[in-house]
Coordinates of all heavy atoms in Angstrom, one line a residue:
C342 N 96.3 105.8 103.4 CA 96.2 106.6 102.2 C 94.9 107.3 102.1 O 93.8 106.6 102.3 CB 96.5 105.7 101.0 SG 96.2 106.4 99.4
C345 N 93.1 105.5 98.7 CA 92.6 104.1 98.6 C 92.5 103.5 100.0 O 92.0 102.3 100.0 CB 93.5 103.3 97.7 SG 95.1 103.0 98.5
C354 N 99.4 106.8 99.5 CA 100.3 105.6 99.5 C 101.2 105.6 98.2 O 100.8 106.3 97.2 CB 99.6 104.3 99.6 SG 98.7 103.8 98.1
C357 N 99.4 104.7 95.0 CA 98.5 105.7 94.4 C 99.3 106.8 93.7 O 99.0 107.3 92.7 CB 97.6 106.3 95.5 SG 96.2 105.3 95.8
Ligands
ZN719 ZN1 96.6 104.6 98.1

Side-chain angles (χ1 to χ4, degrees):
C342 171
C345 72
C354 74
C357 280

